[in-house]
Structures are given as structure tokens and as C-alpha cells.
Amino acid sequence: MTIIINSPLEQFEVRSLISLNAPLFGYLNITLTNLALYTILAILITTSLHIISNNETKLVPSRWSIGLESSFATVNSIVRGQIGALNEIYLPFIYSLFFFILISNFLGNVPFSFALTSSVIITLGFSFTIFFGVTILSLYKHRIKFFSYFIPAGTPLGLVPLLCLIETVSYISRAFSLGIRLFANICAGHTLLKILSTFLFQMFSAGIILAIFTLIPFGIFLAIIGLELAVSAIQAYVFTLLTCSYIKDAIDLH
């Protein structure tokens, strides 16, 4: 079986896997795409890991349980450090967000799989949902005082319109920057891996002598794969950290 990919960017295309057309309610089309499939898969893996690692009926915790408890402790420290110990009500949301992005990033590193977080629809969907949620939270807590966020204290009257415009653009840009940062890092890393893997495959297929000399760049390629795995974890951490920072700004209004 030969798999030909004309462009490294083809791996990010959203494709229809199963399509069902039924003459119900006028016209009904049900389509399962690779985007939907990997979203369901990421949710199932996240849920299954926590069910398997349940330590309520065991005296000695398993390795899975210890690993998840360490992850929970890490996220909990982020929430306490950024939002504050009195606002741990946001911990379940932050933890779920972190784990879903982490699993989605790791799934994307499996060969021939679909990188869920390389889809700008997913990343911007997360960032805009968080943006609107944080804005509603701030309006609920501070009412009309919320709009003082766009006018820094001590601003001269003549500079109020300009600074208000700048602060508004800066505030709205959060919705884009949060999602674009995750999308760009994952997309760039996977594109690089695809280009290098295609090049190495051609080198190994060229002959025995050339294949021997290709072992050195292949070792570098394995190191880059390890780096990409680290980036997957770091990007989940950064996304969670920035989300906590935005929630803190909404609560403290600064």
C-alpha cells in the first residue's frame, strides 16, 4: 500500500469519513469528519484514563493514579498561583481544559493521525469561548465598573479616546492570540516533522550506502520528535496558564 501526500499541509485537512443522507425532515445529512472523530476520541481517552486511575477502592495507588494526581497537583498550583486559593471553583474547568488539550496534542503526534489542535476552528473556538466567558464573568462581578478596565487610572482627558481604543483592541486581541498561539505551534511542528520524514524516507529508499549515511540525520529526527512531544505538553500548560491569567484579570479588574 502506497500513501502519497502531495503537500505537508494535507495532513491538516478536515475530511469526511462517513456520510449519511436521509430524506427526513426535508433533507438530513449526517457526516462524521476526522475532526469530529478525534474530538470524540480525545474525550473518550480523557474520561477512560480517569476511570481506570480511580483509586477509591485500592489501598496502594497505581502508576496511572500517581501520574494523574501529579497532573492535578500541577494544575491546582497554577490555579492557586494565578487566580488565588479562594477561587478554586474554577479548578474543574481549568483541569478539564488542560487535560483535553494535552491528550489532543499527544494524539496528533501519532503517525497518520489528525492533529486536533492544528485546526484553527478548535483553537479559536476554545479561545473565543473563554474570552466571552471571562467578559461575562467580569461584567457580572463589576457591573458598570468593568469599563474602567479600558481607561488606565490617571489618564489625561485628552488621551482617553486614544488609550480607550488601544485598550479595547488589546482586550479583543486576546480572543485571537490565545487560539492562534496553540494552532501555530502545533501546525508548525507537525509540518516540519512531515517534511523531514518524507525526506528521510526518500533517503532510506535510495540505496544501502545512502541509507547508512542517513542514520545520523535520522537520530536528529528522533530528537525532534521528542522535542515535539515536549512542545505538546508545554502548549497545554501555556494555554491553561493564560486562561487562568484572564480569569484573574476578570476577577480583580486589572
Side-chain angles (χ1 to χ4, degrees), residues 28-157:
L28 179 64
N29 177 270
I30 300 175
T31 302
L32 178 65
T33 62
N34 53 354
L35 179 66
L37 177 63
Y38 277 89
T39 301
I40 296 172
L41 189 59
I43 294 174
L44 289 177
I45 292 177
T46 302
T47 306
S48 300
L49 282 176
H50 287 79
I51 293 176
I52 294 172
S53 305
N54 193 331
N55 198 42
E56 293 180 357
T57 59
K58 299 179 182 178
L59 182 61
V60 180
S62 63
R63 293 181 179 179
W64 287 108
S65 180
I66 294 174
L68 285 181
E69 286 178 2
S70 300
S71 300
F72 180 83
T74 300
V75 177
N76 188 34
S77 65
I78 296 174
V79 173
R80 283 176 169 267
Q82 291 292 319
I83 307 178
L86 298 178
N87 296 299
E88 288 189 349
I89 187 175
Y90 306 104
L91 179 58
F93 165 70
I94 298 298
Y95 180 76
S96 301
L97 180 67
F98 168 78
F99 226 92
F100 180 82
I101 294 177
L102 182 66
I103 295 298
S104 299
N105 288 349
F106 283 153
L107 272 177
N109 290 304
V110 177
F112 304 109
S113 66
F114 178 75
L116 191 60
T117 46
S118 67
S119 173
V120 72
I121 297 175
I122 294 294
T123 57
L124 285 183
F126 274 132
S127 62
F128 270 88
T129 302
I130 293 169
F131 172 77
F132 286 120
V134 165
T135 303
I136 292 172
L137 173 65
S138 187
L139 282 169
Y140 174 77
K141 282 185 170 293
H142 303 287
R143 309 292 180 180
I144 194 66
K145 190 180 177 182
F146 163 76
F147 296 98
S148 65
Y149 180 88
F150 303 100
I151 305 176
T155 302
L157 186 60

